[in-house]
Structures are given as structure tokens and as C-alpha cells.
Amino acid sequence: MANPNNGSTSDASHEFSIKTIIAPLLAVIVGMIMVILDSTVVNVAIPNLVDYFDTDLKTIQWTVTGYTLALSAVIPLAGWMTDKFGAKRIFLITIALFTAGSVLCSLAQSPVQLIIFRIIQGIGGGMVSPIGMAMVFKLAPPDKRGAIMGVLGIPMLLAPALGPVLSGWLVEYVSWHWIFLINLPIGIVAMFVGMKFLPESEKHAAPHLDVIGMILAPIAFAMLAYGVSEGGTSWTSKSTIIGLTVGGIALLLFIFVELRQKQPLLELRVFRSSDFTRGILLAWLTQIALFGSMIITPLYLQQVKGYTALETGLILLPQALASGIFMPISGRLFDKIGARPLALTGLGVISTGLYLLAQVKVDTSLGMILLSLFLMGAGMGLTMMPVNTHVLNAAPRKLVSRVTPLTTAAQQVVVSFAVAGLTGYLTSHITTHMKDVAKGLAPAEAVTAGFADTFFLSACLAVAGFLFSLLLRKPKNKPEDKPDPEEKANPALMAGH
């Protein structure tokens, strides 16, 4: 096996082939597939979980929101943990924690238990991809890293496509418990291969750990997500005001602390770049419009259209496939035409897909739904990579290595807000329309109207992103923005994008 310490030498580069690191590569791919799959399998199972635990959607959505918030909390710690304890050890520990959390989820007896166990999953899963990819990144010589990252990109494309189908099959023919329990054998394989084949990594002097930031960030984001969730029902309720107030105060304190830290948990000084700020705000708008609707769509398909969990997973497949088809196309076009034309085109396509979904009725044809989902996936493939790359390019070079933990963690926070906000909005609008049942409106039509309202809100957010993308411009390198030789962007940390 190639020695990672000699990976950059000319001899190693000459002799290198993917076969020399296939075993450690396999360990990382298995771990990544397990974690990325789990980010998608729950979506299809949500209606089943609502019925099984005899609870409501606003409660069950916290199995997604809590998971994504846990991911966002630990992603920034990946670098510090690997410096302090070594990459191999932390990678194996996080795989073990994720696997244990998965088993606990399968044993949950109440919604609260399931939410807590999902948080444990998220704490383990947040560091698997960035640490695993960083380890493989160091094994290959620089001129071969593109090929290696291409191999690692396979699970990132396959897992979102396979997740809903696998989840639907397990929920329909086995039980929802197995969408979590299936991670046990996968996790054991990943740990065995990792222990045997992953190279031992050197420990380094760990930088200062921003403990105050670690405490304030989860409080701020969790309370804000709670406030947004409650706000979907009533923006003036006591629970909404408490959530937004506590979260807002914690967020202000977090920003104050981070700007004064020499080595902050999240590098907020990068927002001084107007190009970066415009890019990341556009990314957030896109993520809210897309990922919130990804939770809502399976609910519509099962609760209104009456499709089974497996049928729902198969119906969602074109969205993931379209994203996989258009992502490499946007990658090739980005170098030639930049981010703005691709963002405009992609968000225009996403807006069209969501607007079509906003027209749903009880009897909407399957063909129209498939077309809408395909458009959303195609738009996502055209938009996400160019915008993410634009954000990296717009960051001051001296801060570029600190940007990927910020953007990756922020994506998870934004997704949690999208899920919490849109499920709350859906619940309240269904309740509002159900009042018209007494006036002769069919219950199924009232529920469908609530879904249509929620898709329309997502479409409006996508249109806002379309208009906002007009503000993108090619980042300008400032004379004083000299790259620091110690600050190099690590593509391995882009896993969460």
C-alpha cells in the first residue's frame, strides 16, 4: 500500500494506481454511503413514523431537524479532533457512534427517544465524510487526486438516489425499524475494513478550542429552528417568541464571541467579502426552497395520492437522477461561463418545477408530478456546484481553509430551518383549509390545498433566489489579499455540500 507520507513524491506518483489504496478507499466509501443514505431514508418513512407513534408531523420533523443540527454542531470540530487524536481513531469512533445511534433509533419507543437517538446519529455522522475524504486525499499524489475524488463522488450521487427507494422497500415489506437497523452490518464492515487498512495518521498540536462558541452555536440554532417551527403555526404565540428571542440573543452572543476569537469555531470574518456574502445567501435561499420541499413531497405522495412507501421512493428517483446528470455538466460549464448564468438557469428551472407542484390537486397526474421532480433535480444539479464553488472563490484567500467548515455547517443549519419552517407552515395551512370542510370542501381537497400553499411558498423562495442571482459577479482578487502558504483549501471538506 502506498505510504501516505510519500504520496506527493514523483516516484510515488509514477507508480501510483487506485489499486494501491483501494482498501482504505473502500472503508471510507462504505462509511460515507451509510451516513449519506441516512440523510435521505427518513424522508419517505415520515408518514409511517407519524402513524406508528400516533403523533403529529411537527413532532416527527424534529427527527430530521435534530439530526441536521447535530451534524452542524460537530462538522467544525473535525479538524481539531483529527489534530488532537489522529484521523484514523476519530474516523472509527464516529462510525461506531453513528452505528450505535442507528441501533438505538431502531429500538425507540417514543418520538422523544427517536429524536434523541437521531441526534446521537448526527453527532457521529457529521465528521465521517470530511475526515474520511481528507484521509484519502492525503494518500494520493497531487496529480491523481482528481481521479480519487471522482471515485469518492460516486456514493454522493448514488446514495440520494437509492435512499428513498431502499427506505420505501424496507418500510413497506419489513418495518421502519430497518431503515436504521440496516446500518449495523454496514457499520461493522466499515469499522473492520477501516481498522485493518486505514493508515495510522500522525497527531498534531491541536489549535485552541473555541469552547464558548461550541456552547452558544447549538443553543442559537436549535432555539431559532424551534421558533421557526412554531412560527409556522403562529408568529405571535408564546413558544414562537421564546424560541426566536432566546435563539436570537444566543446568535448575537455567538457572533460577538467568534469575531473576537483568533481561532473561532466558525470564521465569520469572511462575510466582510460582499461577493462571498451574496453567494452564500443565494446558496441558503436555494437550499431552503429545495430541501424543505424534499420533506413535503413524500408526505403529499403518501397522504394525498395514496402511494405506498416503495412507490414513493421510486417516484422520487428521477429527481436524484436528474441532479446526478446535470451536476457534472454544470461543473464543466462553470469554468467557461461562471456561476451567474448557471444559477439563473438552475433557479429558473427549480422555480418552474415548484410552481407546477403548487398547482397540485387530489387528481393531479403522476406524469405532472414526475416532470416537476425532474425539473427540481435538474435545477439543483445546475445550481448547487457552481454556487458552492463561487462561494469558495469569493472568500479571501487567507481564510479559504476556514470557509468549508463554515459553509458545510451552515448548510445543515439552513436545512434544519427549512424543514422546521415548512412543516409548521404545512400543518397550519392544512388546519386552516380544514375549516372549510363544513362549507362543503372535501377533506382530501383541504389537505391538498395545504400542500399546494407550501409548494407555492417554496416556489416564491426559488424565484427570490433567481432574482438574487442577478447580483452575482466574478470575485475580484484584491492586491492585499495574498494567499497564506499555510491556508490551502481542502476539497475533502466539501463533502457536505
Side-chain angles (χ1 to χ4, degrees):
M1 184 169 61
N3 186 335
N5 297 324
N6 297 331
S8 60
T9 65
S10 58
D11 289 342
S13 178
H14 178 71
E15 298 173 0
F16 176 82
S17 73
I18 290 181
K19 291 181 181 179
T20 62
I21 63 165
I22 192 66
L25 193 62
L26 182 62
V28 173
I29 287 176
V30 172
M32 282 179 57
I33 284 178
M34 180 172 66
V35 174
I36 298 174
L37 266 177
D38 216 75
S39 297
T40 58
V41 293
V42 175
N43 296 358
V44 172
I46 282 178
N48 192 272
L49 294 174
V50 170
D51 293 338
Y52 182 87
F53 289 111
D54 192 22
T55 186
D56 55 22
L57 176 61
K58 280 184 64 178
T59 300
I60 287 297
Q61 64 89 10
W62 279 96
T63 61
V64 178
T65 301
Y67 179 79
T68 54
L69 286 174
L71 289 178
S72 71
V74 298
I75 286 170
L77 298 178
W80 184 88
M81 295 285 281
T82 52
D83 285 343
K84 182 78 172 176
F85 303 105
K88 178 178 179 178
R89 178 184 296 180
I90 296 301
F91 181 78
L92 293 174
I93 289 173
T94 54
I95 289 287
L97 185 58
F98 183 87
T99 305
S102 299
V103 174
L104 289 172
C105 286
S106 72
L107 301 175
Q109 300 296 308
S110 69
V112 174
Q113 287 183 11
L114 183 58
I115 293 166
I116 292 172
F117 298 152
R118 283 281 285 168
I119 290 171
I120 293 173
Q121 261 194 318
I123 292 172
M127 286 189 270
V128 168
S129 291
I131 293 177
M133 292 187 79
M135 292 174 72
V136 176
F137 188 72
K138 292 176 182 177
L139 287 174
D143 61 330
K144 301 293 184 183
R145 285 175 178 165
I148 299 304
M149 289 301 149
V151 174
L152 284 179
I154 293 172
M156 296 172 65
L157 292 176
L158 287 180
L162 296 177
V165 179
L166 176 63
S167 172
W169 186 84
L170 289 172
V171 167
E172 187 170 344
Y173 292 107
V174 191
S175 76
W176 68 264
H177 304 81
W178 276 90
I179 66 174
F180 300 111
L181 201 55
I182 195 173
N183 289 332
L184 179 59
I186 300 174
I188 291 172
V189 170
M191 287 192 66
F192 174 78
V193 177
M195 283 188 287
K196 188 170 179 63
F197 295 109
L198 283 176
E200 294 293 340
S201 52
E202 295 180 6
K203 298 177 187 177
H204 303 281
H208 167 74
L209 182 60
D210 179 12
V211 177
I212 299 176
M214 276 182 59
I215 296 170
L216 287 173
I219 294 173
F221 300 140
M223 291 305 294
L224 285 172
Y226 174 72
V228 169
S229 174
E230 294 297 307
T233 303
S234 170
W235 289 104
T236 58
S237 68
K238 183 178 179 180
S239 54
T240 301
I241 293 171
I242 290 174
L244 294 179
T245 302
V246 174
I249 292 171
L251 180 62
L252 291 174
L253 290 172
F254 175 72
I255 293 171
F256 177 77
V257 168
E258 296 304 279
L259 292 176
R260 294 173 62 87
Q261 288 274 6
K262 289 184 179 179
Q263 294 175 315
L265 185 70
L266 296 176
E267 184 53 83
L268 302 182
R269 283 177 282 250
V270 74
F271 282 98
R272 291 172 182 167
S273 164
S274 61
D275 290 326
F276 174 88
T277 302
R278 282 196 287 263
I280 199 166
L281 287 176
L282 177 60
W284 291 350
L285 271 173
T286 306
Q287 288 157 7
I288 291 172
L290 273 172
F291 291 108
S293 61
M294 285 180 182
I295 294 290
I296 303 303
T297 306
L299 291 169
Y300 166 75
L301 291 173
Q302 293 181 60
Q303 294 183 347
V304 174
K305 300 297 291 179
Y307 290 112
T308 65
L310 177 57
E311 288 169 341
T312 298
L314 291 170
I315 291 169
L316 295 174
L317 192 57
Q319 183 175 6
L321 293 177
S323 178
I325 291 169
F326 282 92
M327 198 173 293
I329 294 174
S330 69
R332 287 193 292 270
L333 290 175
F334 176 81
D335 292 330
K336 298 178 181 178
I337 62 177
R340 184 163 64 178
L342 290 168
L344 279 167
T345 304
L347 280 159
V349 174
I350 291 169
S351 300
T352 303
L354 285 169
Y355 179 76
L356 290 176
L357 278 180
Q359 310 308 308
V360 291
K361 307 292 183 185
V362 176
D363 58 350
T364 297
S365 68
L366 178 59
M368 181 62 71
I369 295 170
L370 289 172
L371 174 62
S372 303
L373 293 173
F374 182 86
L375 289 173
M376 288 166 60
M380 181 180 180
L382 287 171
T383 305
M384 296 305 291
M385 194 290 299
V387 171
N388 283 335
T389 307
H390 171 86
V391 167
L392 275 182
N393 290 342
R397 291 186 184 180
K398 62 183 179 180
L399 298 177
V400 74
S401 72
R402 308 296 304 274
V403 169
T404 44
L406 168 66
T407 55
T408 308
Q411 173 178 319
Q412 301 300 336
V413 172
V414 168
V415 170
S416 70
F417 286 1
V419 172
L422 286 181
T423 50
Y425 186 85
L426 171 66
T427 301
S428 65
H429 275 247
I430 288 176
T431 302
T432 301
H433 287 293
M434 287 298 285
K435 295 176 183 177
D436 294 332
V437 170
K439 301 176 183 178
L441 185 69
E445 293 176 345
V447 173
T448 306
F451 279 99
D453 290 347
T454 309
F455 286 127
F456 183 74
L457 175 61
S458 295
C460 290
L461 290 169
V463 170
F466 172 83
L467 297 174
F468 197 81
S469 62
L470 292 170
L471 300 177
L472 289 184
R473 64 183 183 186
K474 188 175 181 180
K476 298 177 181 178
N477 291 327
K478 299 178 181 178
E480 68 273 15
D481 188 23
K482 295 179 180 178
D484 186 333
E486 297 296 320
E487 295 282 348
K488 297 179 181 179
N490 186 352
L493 294 178
M494 293 295 289
H497 286 255

